[in-house]
Amino acid sequence: MGGDMAVRERAVRERAVREKAVREKAGRPKSMRMSVEQPLWRALAGYRVLTMLYAVGFFATAYDGFRRPWVAVAYYCVLFLWTLLTLPWVANAASCTKRFLAADLTVALVGILITPLADTHERVQSGGPTLPSIWTAGAVLAFAIKGGWRWAAFASTLVAVVNLVERGTPARDTVHNVILVWVASIAIGYVVEVARASERTLARALEIEAATRERERLARDIHDSVLQVLAMVQRRGAVLGGEAGELGRMAGEQEVALRALVSAGLVPESREQRYAEPGAPGTAVHAAGESAPDALDAPDPVDLRTLLVPYATSTITLSEPGAPVPLARAAAKELAAAVGAALDNVRKHAGEGARAWILVEDEPDSVVVTVRDDGPGIPEGRLAQAEGEGRLGVAQSIRGRLRDLGGDAELISVPGQGTEVELKVPKDTRAARGKAERR
């Protein structure tokens, strides 16, 4: 037996070394770029160049109509250099900093304000284009892509105010152009926010998928090595008897518990995380410490399955949903402690060899846990007699806990056919306790 175990351990170590080498050779995966945002940045860069050329070309065709053309020439030289030199800043969200956005919008706003200095008053009043013309929209769109619709609303509002100052009166064409830029930039900003949210959701889904694949891989490795070794130890121990038999029995219990963890992907809470130990396989369950009523409504829910997994042994079968069963942390621990108390009763009254089954059901408004055994059952009137004798295991450890949670416990026992305990806890323990108190 020792030789077989050594061979299996060596095989597992060699497999782990090979897989680690493969992962290191592959390296870290490259971060996934967003499918919508990156094309928007490329389109914005092209838009800035084209609209800059449009503004310069329009000025060239109307050069003779300007009152001070040298002012326009100086501005267009700055605009030309600024547009070309800042193309790397609009390549992606990381490069497009707040400082750049502020400077870029300043270039556009200054161009609007100095338009009356370069152009004639008549053309300004008649609705002639400003010096940056439609290039201004590029600066606003950079805000939208970088920060979403709120940033877009801020930038477009500044552009609107400066346009009204430049024109002096809210002419129809000015208002029309301002509203068009305002609506378009906010719409694009909103689309970007939605796309980013979709990217986060997709990334989370990919992480879950990768974690699931890794868990399945580990499950295969555990099944091929640890579980088979534990099963072999159990079989050989049963044959040898004595101390080896006890070791085999313990190995069998650990095999069942580990198989439950692997199949469900659950990790039981550690003892340090529990305010009261709900019980471990083969040991008695002590009553949980008293909790304040509000503690039962703690906002951080816990998966009830993780608290019930430690109860699974070679003689106790746990059946639970494939999805998490969320319940308020303190309420889940109280329910798990009640399950432990029911299993204690099975061990005490049905014997160590009795089999038990735990069934977890997640209903819309409540969680139901059923504990059933194949023992001799409880004689009629025995529970009332035990309570009269001061034995309050069922009355307090089980029913008392469920009553404090606003739930109930139903016990069904037929002599010779075992006992079934149904524990029902509402998900909203605060409302359930309120109804119970009013009654």
Side-chain angles (χ1 to χ4, degrees):
M1 181 171 65
D4 292 342
M5 292 178 64
V7 171
R8 291 182 182 276
E9 290 177 358
R10 184 166 59 252
V12 171
R13 287 197 299 269
E14 291 176 354
R15 181 183 301 175
V17 171
R18 289 196 301 270
E19 292 178 351
K20 182 178 179 181
V22 171
R23 287 195 298 268
E24 291 178 351
K25 183 177 180 180
R28 293 178 177 268
K30 295 183 179 180
S31 59
M32 182 183 64
R33 288 190 174 182
M34 193 171 153
S35 60
V36 174
E37 184 178 353
Q38 200 56 38
L40 287 177
W41 285 112
R42 290 195 291 266
L44 177 62
Y47 176 87
R48 288 166 63 86
V49 173
L50 293 176
T51 53
M52 179 271 296
L53 295 176
Y54 171 83
V56 172
F58 183 84
F59 165 72
T61 59
Y63 178 86
D64 296 336
F66 278 80
R67 184 173 57 175
R68 297 184 183 91
W70 60 269
V71 174
V73 170
Y75 175 78
Y76 284 126
C77 289
V78 172
L79 184 66
F80 180 82
L81 293 175
W82 175 260
T83 302
L84 296 183
L85 293 177
T86 57
L87 286 178
W89 272 264
V90 292
N92 50 62
S95 302
C96 188
T97 62
K98 293 181 180 179
R99 184 176 299 180
F100 163 75
L101 288 175
D104 196 52
L105 187 61
T106 300
V107 172
L109 298 180
V110 169
I112 296 173
L113 291 175
I114 66 174
T115 298
L117 297 178
D119 210 347
T120 61
H121 179 73
E122 292 76 12
R123 187 152 58 181
V124 170
Q125 292 299 315
S126 63
T130 60
L131 290 182
S133 184
I134 57 176
W135 186 89
T136 304
V140 176
L141 292 177
F143 273 81
I145 301 174
K146 173 68 176 181
W149 70 269
R150 294 175 181 83
W151 288 29
F154 169 77
S156 56
T157 300
L158 286 181
V159 171
V161 171
V162 172
N163 268 283
L164 293 176
V165 171
E166 180 262 343
R167 183 63 60 89
T169 57
R172 177 179 297 179
D173 56 346
T174 302
V175 174
H176 173 77
N177 293 334
V178 164
I179 292 179
L180 182 62
V181 172
W182 196 72
V183 172
S185 60
I186 290 179
I188 292 177
Y190 178 75
V191 169
V192 169
E193 288 187 359
V194 172
R196 284 176 178 152
S198 300
E199 180 194 22
R200 289 192 294 269
T201 302
L202 176 60
R204 177 60 181 160
L206 292 176
E207 289 177 1
I208 294 174
E209 182 183 0
T212 301
R213 289 199 300 267
E214 180 66 11
R215 186 172 69 239
E216 291 174 352
R217 184 189 65 80
L218 291 175
R220 290 193 298 268
D221 290 345
I222 292 174
H223 179 271
D224 294 342
S225 56
V226 181
L227 289 178
Q228 292 185 8
V229 170
L230 290 174
M232 182 178 62
V233 171
Q234 181 186 20
R235 291 193 301 269
R236 296 293 296 273
V239 173
L240 296 175
E243 293 184 357
E246 178 65 16
L247 178 62
R249 184 188 65 80
M250 295 173 59
E253 292 181 351
Q254 294 302 314
E255 178 199 2
V256 173
L258 184 57
R259 193 178 297 277
L261 289 173
V262 170
S263 61
L266 303 177
V267 179
E269 287 195 356
S270 63
R271 293 176 182 267
E272 291 76 6
Q273 291 176 302
R274 304 179 186 180
Y275 71 83
E277 179 68 33
T283 61
V285 179
H286 302 286
E290 294 297 328
S291 302
D294 290 341
L296 297 177
D297 302 304
D300 51 337
V302 65
D303 187 356
L304 177 64
R305 302 178 304 167
T306 62
L307 300 180
L308 299 180
V309 162
Y311 293 126
T313 68
S314 58
T315 57
I316 301 176
T317 302
L318 173 63
S319 300
E320 38 79 19
V325 183
L327 195 62
R329 181 175 295 274
K333 290 176 178 177
E334 287 290 284
L335 179 56
V339 172
L343 294 175
D344 275 348
N345 288 335
V346 174
R347 283 188 288 269
K348 291 177 182 177
H349 303 293
E352 292 290 339
R355 292 194 57 82
W357 293 265
I358 304 172
L359 174 63
V360 183
E361 299 175 273
D362 187 8
E363 298 182 350
D365 299 324
S366 61
V367 175
V368 180
V369 180
T370 304
V371 180
R372 183 171 60 86
D373 65 69
D374 62 354
I378 303 175
E380 186 176 355
R382 177 55 184 157
L383 290 179
Q385 179 184 353
E387 188 172 348
E389 295 173 353
R391 301 178 182 179
L392 304 178
V394 175
Q396 293 297 331
S397 297
I398 299 178
R399 286 176 175 163
R401 279 193 169 98
L402 273 294
R403 183 174 58 251
D404 291 342
L405 297 175
D408 58 75
E410 183 178 357
L411 189 146
I412 303 173
S413 181
V414 178
Q417 298 183 19
T419 303
E420 180 175 304
V421 180
E422 183 180 272
L423 311 173
K424 187 174 183 179
V425 175
K427 293 183 177 179
D428 187 354
T429 55
R430 185 190 298 272
R433 287 200 308 275
K435 292 180 181 179
E437 290 172 357
R438 286 193 295 271
R439 288 199 297 266

